[in-house]
Amino acid sequence: MISIRNLCVELGDFTLKDASLDVEDGEYMVVVGPSGAGKTVLLETIAGLFHPRRGEIRLRGRDVTRLSPEERHVSIVYQDHALFPHLSVRDNILFGLRMRKTDAKQSRQAFSRAVELFNIAALLDRDPTTLSGGERQKVALARALCVSPDVLLVDEPLSSLDPRTREEIEAELQRLHRALDVTTLHVTHNFEEAVALGDRIAVIGEGEVKQVGTPEDIFRKPNSEFVAGFAMSRNIYPGELCAADAGRRGFKSGNLLFYLENGNAAGNRAVIRPEDVMLLPREVLPNGGNTFAGEIVRIADRGSTLYVDVQLPPVITALATRHTFREMNLKTGMRVGVCFDASSVHVFQE
Amino acid sequence: MISIRNLCVELGDFTLKDASLDVEDGEYMVVVGPSGAGKTVLLETIAGLFHPRRGEIRLRGRDVTRLSPEERHVSIVYQDHALFPHLSVRDNILFGLRMRKTDAKQSRQAFSRAVELFNIAALLDRDPTTLSGGERQKVALARALCVSPDVLLVDEPLSSLDPRTREEIEAELQRLHRALDVTTLHVTHNFEEAVALGDRIAVIGEGEVKQVGTPEDIFRKPNSEFVAGFAMSRNIYPGELCAADAGRRGFKSGNLLFYLENGNAAGNRAVIRPEDVMLLPREVLPNGGNTFAGEIVRIADRGSTLYVDVQLPPVITALATRHTFREMNLKTGMRVGVCFDASSVHVFQE
Amino acid sequence: MRSRILPRAWLKGTFLILGGIILLFIIAPVGKMIFASSPSILMESLRDSEITSSILLTLYAALLATVIGFVLGVPLAYLLAKTQFPGKKLIEGIIDLPLVIPHSAAGIALLFVFGRNYFMGQAFDGIGIRFLDSLAGIVIAMLFVSVPFLIDSAKEGFKKVDPRLENVARTLGATPWKTFSRISFPLARRSITAGCILMWARGMSEFGAVIIIAYHPMIAPVLVYEKFETYGLNYARPIAVILILISLVVFVVLRFLLYRRERS
Amino acid sequence: MRSRILPRAWLKGTFLILGGIILLFIIAPVGKMIFASSPSILMESLRDSEITSSILLTLYAALLATVIGFVLGVPLAYLLAKTQFPGKKLIEGIIDLPLVIPHSAAGIALLFVFGRNYFMGQAFDGIGIRFLDSLAGIVIAMLFVSVPFLIDSAKEGFKKVDPRLENVARTLGATPWKTFSRISFPLARRSITAGCILMWARGMSEFGAVIIIAYHPMIAPVLVYEKFETYGLNYARPIAVILILISLVVFVVLRFLLYRRERS
């Protein structure tokens, strides 16, 4: 549906080198990357607002690389919504239909469908500057969708909202995507948002597409330190594969030996997600497998959850719920046991 | 140490009505509230940059309400660091010592101590505009602290940083506070940040100080829907106290009955934190106590953790780790059991 | 807008006194001219056809210059605000040139291009337009000295239009022309109007360049000078007062527009 | 600065043609004056003491006006940029008044205050300063028409100084005066310098107000007019060219400053 091949964009300090990405028909793809990674530029390039230096963009099989924005049938929704301040909500939504000279009947239908879908009939005569953040978001989506675009591009739709409106709009986007099935490319710097919404996630950084996959893949099977770090997999250890006892495979990092699941993973880095690391009282620590003992050196309180750093050495970070934290009465300086499944250790080549 | 009494500030739309707050000597107090709650204005009022309409501010027992900023011995660190762009890092740090006409020897000592504390000797001849976010933060703190202020005011120090620098500066602030023991008032809109750093937290909103207490208090014992909502305690139920079986106390909300711990809590709202709600397969659900069964209606993926909404009715939200999520193979539409301790139910009067 | 603690009294006092002197220096002459004039003399002057026709000529010529400036200048302002190209800074410099060139020298320079013996002068002569001592001459003199005000104001107006609004319009199917006429121009309209008024006011006030190219027909600022030279201060005064009053009215409208632009 | 897709060829072409006409209209007279002048005639003019002394007088008078404008105007600009008070909009309006008042009318207005028979004229007469046909008269005429440029530019400069920098300075122990002299003024310096140069250039270019108050001693713009009236176009030309060249040099320095201000 969207097929990007060897795209190369240059803008001041920023460059996107040789990026390729495919988005399936009806898919919700989230592109995630740090601020300044050129996510907005990527969207604007797809929309035709920005000329790539090299590369090809195809939408529904049609090569649009040289087309003007108005010929691409791609709608864009910016972070600040970009409603036309001199037009009423109604005229904002009708703008695209008028510009595309849609015939009157079809236009009326598309308009009423969009108004109904977003439940914004009450806002139609308002001035966009008087709307709340959530309302502006809905109007911007209605305006973008009532021209029935082939592709919807969404730029950081949640980042300027407060936490509660954010959850509401997140649910709205999910509902909308299920209802309309429009191919969507959503960019964000927020990894949680990507996990919550994406059918698949593309991680970009350092001017490259680093990894594309399902949220679960990105989470559990990062292909590089960049992706692992961005997904906040705090436990990344350099080392090498080795044979462990009883014919099992292992990964040796310094003095530690991690047991691995059987499989054909190969590489020189092992990563274990903090939420896969269990904390146990030292007394109940089982024998064998990936079990270690160490001292708690830091507890970072995140509210509902806490990150507990245990010095083995090296330091391994475990995610504890507040419930565990209270039950085990965790404290800095306390000695505890940690354990994790062999299946939780993912090995990749850096 | 800082004692604010009946402070009333007006600025355009924003008003702070009758705010009172005490900060102990050497305490790290975090003031948390939604954007636009006037947190920066509060800091600027304490620093003397903004005149309150009414009320009194005392620092170390001295009434400073009518004093100019330069007479208050209060240092402020803004979110964007506000380094003087026309001065070198060295001259930025020395600015306060020069303005206060500190004598040469004392000035040299204070300067070297600050430089050493923040490990910024290598930056001294740099132009502030060339520094990274983390470096700017350190220089701004060094400048603020080398005049030995009675009080340090910090405005959203972490919100403009990327997640990893944020954790680093968070650790830096903790280390610093342990080393210097300077009374600190830190404002933020980020509840997690408040929990991670504050000895105590003050929640402000709707122009008032809503609640002051330890992070644990704010978390588990909110005194209002505003605080409970801000702390993301998703499960808030209206109802009333009643007697339950076997002489135990209960809280009745619609058809549900929650058992309470014995105590003298009274009120018309019950709140249960999502992380205190356990999900269990229906088969192993124990009898009696706070145990219910229901259907999963929504799963909001937050990466390491997931929020699972279970329709009893009403809806109750549980926090599950990714580990639990995979083990129980949770899915929308699945029927599960939920349970929580009587001690997890907190009752307050709205 | 964040309020701040005012500087301490002595600093503020000193600054107020210094600032007050310059304010008085501006207000006093203007105020005295207006308030010390007897309305009856002003009314009488308004019945003097030499005075009224010179004032109407001034307003009309400045208006013509503004219309030409609008047609030629607004598109340029749009290009400067919205596109990047090499030499843009140079072009922006050229546009502001008339602001610093001494007005009488500008008049001489214009004559060397539009005078009857020179290139443009001859070209226009072919279609019956002459510049020396004519309305056309007054208009080009006014245009030359005042067009930078319109172009700069329109440019600032276009720059303030969020490019994302134009981007959204394009993706919704608007052609570049529709995007300009439906989005950019309406959103910059207040700045453009302010620029037009400023250009008109500046054109009306021009004296040095006009007097070189066209002593006759006599625009009002030239008439003020003529009366002053020929009959003295008291005879120049009524026309000067009328001119200042007209400028004030235009100016108040302009400030009002600028004020609303700032607020929006 | 985000680059955008350029408007389609025809729209851009039309806009370029319209914009090109106005650019040519500005460049042609100035360029022709400069490039068609023979250097030998210019050199000769520079040996004519009437010309050189009028040019030096122009530069000197404009400099004096700028110094006075700096001392009186910068503090006012600071107050306007950094404090809120009722009537601020009115004061900002008053400061911009000279921009729209016709220059010859401004000259008349100044005479009604600074003329020997009027209030300020008499006051200054007491300390030996007269305005009619004197350097002092030239300076006040230049000051009146050009001080808005300095005040506006300085005000913009002060406004761009982040109030939080001043707040931090205050909490670190700086008094209001130290905060002004160590933080606000240095950070606004480029805008203030640009304002001074603009004021100086504008003062130098003034003709209408000066010719009313002081035909003699003759500043260069008046000399251009005098030569043109008495001997004709070709005799006025060398002085006009020299004046334009001086303006250009000043202007290039100014653009350079403004350009660096925009980038920083």
Side-chain angles (χ1 to χ4, degrees), chain C residues 14-57:
Chain C
T14 312
F15 277 26
L16 272 178
I17 289 166
L18 293 171
I21 293 172
I22 198 81
L23 279 175
L24 257 183
F25 173 70
I26 295 172
I27 298 168
V30 178
K32 186 154 185 234
M33 280 286 271
I34 294 171
F35 294 111
S37 303
S38 86
S40 62
I41 291 179
L42 286 186
M43 290 312 293
E44 197 181 304
S45 306
L46 282 176
R47 277 191 292 272
D48 179 340
S49 74
E50 186 189 18
I51 292 177
T52 49
S53 69
S54 79
I55 285 174
L56 287 177
L57 175 66

Side-chain angles (χ1 to χ4, degrees), chain D:
Chain D
M1 193 75 64
R2 173 85 45 83
S3 161
R4 324 171 36 253
I5 295 291
L6 298 179
R8 272 189 202 156
W10 73 264
L11 185 72
K12 200 185 166 193
T14 313
F15 278 25
L16 272 178
I17 290 166
L18 292 171
I21 294 172
I22 197 81
L23 278 176
L24 257 183
F25 173 69
I26 295 173
I27 297 169
V30 178
K32 186 154 183 233
M33 280 286 271
I34 294 170
F35 293 111
S37 302
S38 87
S40 62
I41 292 180
L42 287 186
M43 289 312 293
E44 199 181 303
S45 305
L46 282 177
R47 276 191 294 272
D48 180 341
S49 74
E50 187 188 17
I51 293 178
T52 50
S53 68
S54 80
I55 286 174
L56 288 177
L57 175 66
T58 313
L59 298 179
Y60 178 60
L63 184 65
L64 278 182
T66 305
V67 169
I68 297 170
F70 177 85
V71 172
L72 301 177
V74 170
L76 184 61
Y78 183 70
L79 291 178
L80 289 172
K82 292 291 179 181
T83 61
Q84 300 295 332
F85 51 88
K88 187 169 142 179
K89 285 282 157 201
L90 180 68
I91 290 181
E92 291 182 326
I94 289 170
I95 289 163
D96 284 348
L97 258 185
L99 295 180
V100 293
I101 290 184
H103 308 150
S104 50
I108 301 285
L110 283 169
L111 272 191
F112 271 99
V113 171
F114 290 95
R116 219 185 320 169
N117 303 322
Y118 300 95
F119 175 69
M120 291 301 289
Q122 284 176 336
F124 277 92
D125 207 36
I127 56 166
I129 296 177
R130 294 183 189 183
F131 294 95
L132 201 67
D133 285 332
S134 76
L135 174 64
I138 296 171
V139 170
I140 58 161
M142 287 179 171
L143 180 62
F144 186 85
V145 297
S146 64
V147 77
F149 291 91
L150 171 56
I151 296 179
D152 286 345
S153 182
K155 190 177 75 183
E156 289 309 311
F158 283 127
K159 268 193 185 162
K160 279 190 192 134
V161 176
D162 186 342
R164 282 173 300 189
L165 295 176
E166 298 162 315
N167 288 350
V168 168
R170 292 297 301 277
T171 61
L172 290 173
T175 58
W177 166 250
K178 286 278 184 196
T179 304
F180 174 78
S181 61
R182 297 295 186 89
I183 304 296
S184 320
F185 186 81
L187 287 173
R189 197 168 48 195
R190 184 161 286 137
S191 294
I192 294 170
T193 311
C196 286
I197 294 176
L198 199 57
M199 177 170 178
W200 190 48
R202 178 66 189 79
M204 263 166 51
S205 76
E206 182 50 23
F207 169 66
V210 173
I211 202 173
I212 299 264
I213 298 182
Y215 201 99
H216 293 282
M218 218 175 258
I219 59 166
V222 175
L223 186 63
V224 168
Y225 175 69
E226 161 92 2
K227 293 268 183 198
F228 174 70
E229 285 292 291
T230 318
Y231 307 103
L233 196 53
N234 282 315
Y235 289 84
R237 178 168 172 166
I239 323 166
V241 172
I242 293 168
L243 264 181
I244 288 176
L245 284 174
I246 292 172
S247 307
L248 275 181
V249 170
V250 171
F251 185 62
V252 167
V253 172
L254 175 71
R255 293 300 304 184
F256 182 70
L257 269 170
L258 286 174
Y259 179 62
R260 281 183 49 197
R261 177 175 65 175
E262 266 175 33
R263 294 187 52 136
S264 69

Side-chain angles (χ1 to χ4, degrees), chain B residues 264-286:
Chain B
N264 48 9
N268 57 4
R269 294 284 187 285
V271 56
I272 305 144
R273 291 205 58 84
E275 66 270 20
D276 289 335
V277 180
M278 305 285 203
L279 294 174
L280 296 169
R282 279 171 69 209
E283 310 84 65
V284 303
L285 198 64

Side-chain angles (χ1 to χ4, degrees), chain A residues 167 170 192 195-196 216 219-220 232 234 273 275-276 278 298 301-304 322-323 326, chain B residues 167 170 174 192 195-196 216 219-220 234 273 275-276 278 298 301-304 322-323 326:
Chain A
E167 292 202 355
E170 194 178 295
E192 281 189 4
V195 170
E216 191 72 12
F219 237 80
R220 308 209 63 210
M232 296 300 255
R234 290 147 198 265
R273 291 206 59 87
E275 66 269 21
D276 289 336
M278 304 290 200
R298 179 163 184 251
D301 197 330
R302 286 278 162 278
S304 303
R322 197 155 204 95
H323 198 263
R326 274 199 299 264
Chain B
E167 292 202 355
E170 195 178 294
Q174 281 176 324
E192 281 188 6
V195 170
E216 192 73 13
F219 237 79
R220 307 211 64 209
R234 290 147 197 265
R273 291 205 58 84
E275 66 270 20
D276 289 335
M278 305 285 203
R298 180 164 181 250
D301 196 330
R302 286 278 163 278
S304 301
R322 197 155 204 97
H323 198 262
R326 273 198 301 263

Side-chain angles (χ1 to χ4, degrees), chain A residues 43-275:
Chain A
L43 291 193
E44 291 186 338
T45 308
I46 296 171
L49 299 161
F50 200 88
H51 271 321
R53 216 176 133 79
R54 264 204 315 278
E56 191 185 86
I57 300 169
R58 288 179 165 272
L59 302 177
R60 292 203 152 151
R62 187 170 59 122
D63 181 351
V64 300
T65 322
R66 303 276 137 223
L67 294 188
S68 317
E70 64 267 32
E71 300 165 325
R72 294 196 182 193
H73 294 275
V74 164
S75 286
I76 190 163
V77 176
Y78 281 106
Q79 178 178 359
D80 64 353
H81 320 309
L83 299 179
F84 303 131
H86 60 309
L87 301 179
S88 68
V89 167
R90 182 192 312 277
D91 289 337
N92 263 279
I93 297 172
L94 285 171
F95 188 86
L97 296 166
R98 284 177 181 152
M99 287 300 127
R100 296 214 182 275
K101 301 196 174 56
T102 316
D103 75 62
K105 194 181 148 215
Q106 220 180 318
S107 173
R108 263 199 310 278
Q109 279 178 356
F111 178 74
S112 353
R113 211 168 41 227
V115 169
E116 202 180 312
L117 186 65
F118 291 95
N119 191 22
I120 47 175
L123 307 178
L124 289 178
D125 295 313
R126 295 268 291 280
D127 178 332
T129 54
T130 65
L131 303 179
S132 73
E135 289 169 342
R136 275 204 296 275
Q137 183 75 262
K138 288 180 186 177
V139 174
L141 283 166
R143 180 179 65 178
L145 288 169
C146 80
V147 291
S148 308
D150 289 347
V151 173
L152 176 66
L153 305 175
V154 197
D155 184 19
E156 302 258 7
L158 307 179
S159 62
S160 60
L161 304 171
D162 63 85
R164 274 178 287 182
T165 315
R166 179 190 286 234
E167 292 202 355
E168 188 189 299
I169 295 287
E170 194 178 295
E172 182 81 21
L173 281 170
Q174 281 177 325
R175 185 179 68 81
L176 195 74
H177 188 246
R178 276 196 297 269
L180 297 180
D181 213 36
V182 59
T183 311
T184 307
L185 193 69
H186 168 144
V187 301
T188 179
H189 68 275
N190 185 326
F191 194 71
E192 281 189 4
E193 191 176 314
V195 170
L197 286 167
D199 292 330
R200 285 193 301 154
I201 294 176
V203 180
I204 65 173
E206 296 165 345
E208 294 172 20
V209 176
K210 292 284 189 178
Q211 187 172 1
V212 183
T214 63
E216 191 72 12
D217 279 348
I218 302 288
F219 237 80
R220 308 209 63 210
K221 294 174 183 161
N223 65 0
S224 57
E225 287 204 6
F226 182 89
V227 174
F230 197 74
M232 296 300 255
S233 297
R234 290 147 198 265
N235 305 308
I236 305 170
Y237 304 101
E240 53 191 11
L241 291 171
C242 63
D245 48 85
R248 293 172 70 187
R249 298 173 69 229
F251 183 90
K252 202 170 155 42
S253 172
N255 291 324
L256 294 181
L257 176 74
F258 302 142
Y259 291 98
L260 304 183
E261 244 185 354
N262 288 324
N264 48 10
N268 57 3
R269 294 285 187 286
V271 57
I272 305 144
R273 291 206 59 87
E275 66 269 21

